[in-house]
Amino acid sequence: ELFTMFSNSVTNGGKTTLAEKLKNMLPNCDIISQDDFFKPESEVETDERGFKLYDVLDALYMDEMVTSIRNWMKNPASSGVVTEEPQNTRDNLKNVYILIVEGFLLYNYEPLNELWNRRYFLTLPYEECKRRRSTRVYQPADTPGYFDGHVWPMYLKYKNELEENASMQVDYLDGTKSQEELLSCVYSDIIQELKKLRE
């Protein structure tokens, strides 16, 4: 039995940390990260201001990402996922395989839309997002004005598109909450969803 969840987030929203912690708590759980599919810097477009346009789908090998997800779904047991159950795993969940797909641009890419069981979106207010971004080291490094000129506007554009899509079922999570609170909320939600699948 397969269960696929998508964790989407504004930059530095905490999605990767949340995904890793969930992986340690859930049975037969694996993660595919969108960050692993970025094109090399030489293939990423530059706008008229000199900003590298990383926060758009064209900066990613999305077809390769979809192939990786579909390959996992065809044969999750051979994906290298750890099949030892966490100690708190319920007996009726032992034959479930869970895939967490985490990234920053997942829900407006049509080929992925049919693959999800649950969608989560971590949000942050502007000041906190900018503060967290400033503490991270990127390769290539952010150029002056990059956050305000490209990263934040693209996040707002993307989030607005999601909110305007009435058919898109997304659970929005407050990224300012503690990791423990977010983890508890999502874990409980997934366990309930898995129970429904088994009924």
Side-chain angles (χ1 to χ4, degrees):
E1 192 139 8
L2 302 179
F3 180 85
T4 309
M5 62 166 284
F6 292 85
S7 171
N8 204 109
S9 170
V10 62
T11 179
N12 295 281
K15 61 189 175 300
T16 304
T17 303
L18 181 63
E20 290 290 349
K21 288 184 176 181
L22 283 168
K23 180 179 178 178
N24 293 330
M25 294 175 68
L26 294 164
N28 302 328
C29 186
D30 208 357
I31 298 172
I32 290 177
S33 174
Q34 192 173 36
D35 285 354
D36 293 336
F37 298 90
F38 270 115
K39 295 176 181 177
E41 185 181 358
S42 61
E43 293 184 33
V44 177
E45 289 186 34
T46 304
D47 71 6
E48 67 278 0
R49 299 163 297 179
F51 292 150
K52 282 283 182 181
L53 303 181
Y54 276 103
D55 288 52
V56 297
L57 286 170
D58 284 344
L60 297 142
Y61 294 118
M62 290 302 295
D63 52 343
E64 291 183 15
M65 185 177 185
V66 172
T67 298
S68 293
I69 294 169
R70 290 191 179 279
N71 285 343
W72 184 94
M73 294 177 77
K74 285 176 191 170
N75 197 357
S78 69
S79 65
V81 64
V82 177
T83 54
E84 292 180 14
E85 321 295 340
Q87 290 183 351
N88 61 350
T89 299
R90 295 151 173 82
D91 287 340
N92 65 340
L93 298 180
K94 287 188 175 180
N95 294 321
V96 173
Y97 287 89
I98 299 170
L99 178 64
I100 300 173
V101 181
E102 60 100 356
F104 67 106
L105 277 176
L106 295 173
Y107 302 151
N108 61 352
Y109 188 65
E110 192 62 38
L112 289 177
N113 283 343
E114 66 195 56
L115 303 179
W116 61 274
N117 289 97
R118 297 290 287 184
R119 288 191 182 101
Y120 300 94
F121 193 113
L122 280 152
T123 64
L124 281 178
Y126 169 84
E127 290 294 345
E128 176 61 12
C129 185
K130 190 171 185 177
R131 184 193 69 77
R132 291 188 191 182
R133 177 97 181 185
S134 70
T135 66
R136 292 274 296 275
V137 177
Y138 288 89
Q139 193 58 251
D142 282 357
T143 54
Y146 188 67
F147 180 84
D148 289 312
H150 176 61
V151 176
W152 188 254
M154 292 308 297
Y155 160 66
L156 292 179
K157 176 178 180 290
Y158 176 49
K159 186 167 176 281
N160 287 338
E161 287 174 0
L162 288 185
E163 291 170 342
E164 290 171 3
N165 186 347
S167 66
M168 188 77 71
Q169 181 66 44
V170 179
D171 291 309
Y172 291 91
L173 304 173
D174 180 357
T176 63
K177 290 183 177 179
S178 70
Q179 277 289 329
E180 291 73 23
E181 193 172 353
L182 289 169
L183 184 63
S184 175
C185 172
V186 176
Y187 177 78
S188 298
D189 191 36
I190 292 170
I191 293 298
Q192 290 302 313
E193 197 71 19
L194 289 171
K195 284 182 178 177
K196 290 179 190 174
L197 284 175
R198 301 308 298 269
E199 288 171 359

